[in-house]
Amino acid sequence: MTRRLVTTLLLYLAIILVFRALQPAELDWTETYDHDDRGPFGTFILYERLHDLFPDASITRSKQPVYNLRRQQGNFTGAMIAINHTLWHDRLDVSALLQMVREGSTVFLSAERLSQPLLDSLDLEMASAGLTFPANSSWMYRPQDHLTLSCCPGRSWEVPTRGTVPYFVLSDSDSSKVLKLGEVREGQVNYLRYRYGEGTLYLHSFPLALTNFYFLNSDMRAYASLVLSHLPEAEMVTWDSHYKGVPGGGNPFAVLARRPAFRWAYWLVLTGGMIFLFFGAKRRQRVIPVLAPRRNTSLDFIRTIGDLYYQNGDHRDLVQKKLTYFQEHLREQYRFHLTSFSNDAAEAVARRAGRDAGSTRRMFQEMQRLESANRVSAADLRTLQHHLDIFYQRTTT
């Protein structure tokens, strides 16, 4: 890649970054419900105002499922707040959640969709009266529903939504433990209170009312305050940060797509990588020569030594070396120091090595004869090697 081309590409990227920096920031309408999201559908304002609702409480955030949280904290008797478009509690989480409420905790759940295990446990259903439109459409700013609260009879809140607010369908099995706290439209309950054991469970189906967008409106800010005013005082308040996510999410690149800075960084890295592959992926080094594998010279050395002994015919010298190696083998393998090839030594070696005493004695007699012999034939050398091979084979297996 030439210097001129690199300079042109860098200038091009710098111009893009300058124009992008001068553009006004786009408003992110993603429903995150995150405590640190200052966008329209984050819950930054509500999280910062929790100390006004619970002045003497210790506020913590939890990034783990309810089941794990209860196992760590044991008998949890504080308050828990979970707000999201969808709250998917599995059966273990539902069991732990209801056990927490039964033991005296207060749990507030606000979501447009609740998990089926939770609804089944409470004998509830959720329904919606109409279609839901995209969050970036003009329907976001048109009044769609009217909310009411039982604590403020005669007062209603006209809410702009992207569709219709979901509501709960109650069964007639056990209405004594259920108190209707709010409705959307006439007769459609969207806010419930359950008495469960020693604690209380609150279910709310319009989480958007608790986001930054609605807190900017004074009427909706009053509605959110009244909704949360039903929660009793607590010494410890846990804010859920585990059951978060964009509706229909699951794509790991969704985080990049949600933030403009991450999105631009992703495309710049991708574009730069493609440019490098197109211009700079050329071989910049000389050709690496193919080297032949190195020969094993140990085999050549053994053949050379064997040829020397074969040409010299010095069988007696080979016998002495084999006897020396045999004595070294007994020292290393059996910690036996052999000084002579007598019958007593043969029996001691047989016991130590677990060999037959008769064959070991014959081998030692052969060794004793060859050790003192002045001349050793090839047949004597083969006989000795035969005894040694049998001994080594049986003692090493």
Side-chain angles (χ1 to χ4, degrees):
M1 187 182 296
T2 62
R3 184 184 299 273
R4 182 177 180 181
L5 180 58
V6 172
T7 304
T8 304
L9 291 176
L10 292 177
L11 181 62
Y12 171 72
L13 293 177
I15 293 174
I16 292 178
L17 292 176
V18 169
F19 274 98
R20 185 61 186 174
L22 294 177
Q23 289 181 355
E26 297 180 0
L27 203 57
D28 187 5
W29 292 92
T30 306
E31 297 179 21
T32 64
Y33 299 96
D34 288 336
H35 74 284
D36 58 349
D37 187 2
R38 299 172 183 262
F41 295 135
T43 53
F44 175 79
I45 298 178
L46 174 60
Y47 185 78
E48 292 296 319
R49 298 295 299 272
L50 282 181
H51 283 291
D52 296 337
L53 298 172
F54 304 96
D56 300 327
S58 173
I59 299 174
T60 60
R61 288 186 295 111
S62 173
K63 296 184 179 181
Q64 54 186 343
V66 179
Y67 177 78
N68 296 351
L69 178 66
R70 187 176 181 277
R71 290 190 63 183
Q72 288 186 1
Q73 298 186 357
N75 189 8
F76 177 84
T77 56
M80 172 178 285
I81 299 176
I83 304 172
N84 197 36
H85 178 273
T86 303
L87 292 176
W88 287 123
H89 297 92
D90 58 21
R91 295 191 180 276
L92 290 177
D93 291 335
V94 170
S95 177
L97 186 73
L98 297 181
Q99 184 62 30
M100 288 169 51
V101 176
R102 189 182 295 110
E103 294 172 353
S105 299
T106 300
V107 176
F108 177 83
L109 305 179
S110 182
E112 294 186 17
R113 297 179 63 187
L114 296 175
S115 66
Q116 196 60 40
L118 179 61
L119 296 176
D120 293 341
S121 300
L122 301 176
D123 201 10
L124 273 179
E125 293 182 6
M126 294 192 73
S128 180
L131 298 175
T132 298
F133 299 93
N136 56 358
S137 68
S138 59
W139 289 90
M140 173 62 66
Y141 309 102
R142 297 183 182 181
Q144 289 288 309
D145 285 316
H146 291 77
L147 301 176
T148 59
L149 293 173
S150 60
C151 62
C152 300
R155 183 177 179 181
S156 64
W157 287 266
E158 190 178 65
V159 292
T161 67
R162 66 175 185 279
T164 55
V165 178
Y167 60 93
F168 298 105
V169 180
L170 300 174
S171 65
D172 299 331
S173 58
D174 191 5
S175 59
S176 60
K177 298 182 179 180
V178 184
L179 180 62
K180 302 176 183 179
L181 300 179
E183 293 183 351
V184 51
R185 300 172 295 276
E186 185 176 356
Q188 297 178 351
V189 182
N190 79 310
Y191 191 21
L192 294 173
R193 186 189 71 183
Y194 270 85
R195 289 292 186 185
Y196 206 80
E198 299 181 4
T200 309
L201 174 63
Y202 294 90
L203 299 181
H204 185 251
S205 67
F206 189 44
L208 288 175
L210 307 176
T211 58
N212 304 329
F213 177 79
Y214 287 87
F215 263 81
L216 297 178
N217 183 282
S218 59
D219 288 339
M220 290 306 302
R221 186 163 59 248
Y223 171 82
S225 299
L226 291 172
V227 167
L228 295 173
S229 65
H230 289 276
L231 276 65
E233 294 184 0
E235 296 182 356
M236 183 170 61
V237 177
T238 300
W239 177 276
D240 170 68
S241 295
H242 173 74
Y243 302 94
K244 297 296 181 184
V246 183
N251 187 353
F253 290 98
V255 177
L256 297 177
R258 282 167 47 192
R259 305 296 181 183
F262 286 158
R263 187 166 59 248
W264 272 91
Y266 171 76
W267 285 112
L268 285 176
V269 170
L270 185 62
T271 304
M274 295 298 294
I275 293 174
F276 173 78
L277 290 178
F278 186 77
F279 292 102
K282 299 179 180 179
R283 181 178 289 274
R284 298 181 179 178
Q285 61 183 14
R286 61 184 179 182
V287 179
I288 300 176
V290 179
L291 300 178
R294 302 182 65 178
R295 292 184 57 187
N296 187 358
T297 57
S298 299
L299 296 177
D300 296 337
F301 176 75
I302 293 173
R303 292 192 186 97
T304 303
I305 297 300
D307 292 340
L308 288 175
Y309 275 102
Y310 179 76
Q311 292 176 3
N312 293 333
D314 191 356
H315 303 311
R316 189 177 186 282
D317 185 50
L318 281 176
V319 167
Q320 295 298 329
K321 287 182 170 54
K322 288 183 179 293
L323 295 180
T324 302
Y325 177 81
F326 178 73
Q327 291 174 334
E328 184 66 22
H329 174 75
L330 293 179
R331 276 194 299 270
E332 292 181 357
Q333 193 74 16
Y334 302 105
R335 302 294 187 269
F336 186 87
H337 183 63
L338 183 63
T339 58
S340 65
F341 296 99
S342 62
N343 292 334
D344 294 337
E347 292 178 358
V349 170
R351 287 193 303 269
R352 185 69 64 88
R355 286 289 311 279
D356 178 61
S359 59
T360 305
R361 191 181 303 111
R362 288 191 295 271
M363 181 180 67
F364 270 55
Q365 291 173 357
E366 183 69 19
M367 289 180 176
Q368 188 176 25
R369 183 182 68 84
L370 295 177
E371 184 184 25
S372 58
N374 294 326
R375 186 177 181 278
V376 179
S377 64
D380 295 333
L381 182 60
R382 284 193 296 269
T383 302
L384 176 62
Q385 186 62 46
H386 176 71
H387 286 296
L388 290 174
D389 290 340
I390 295 176
F391 183 87
Y392 290 147
Q393 182 180 4
R394 292 184 180 180
T395 57
T396 56
T397 57

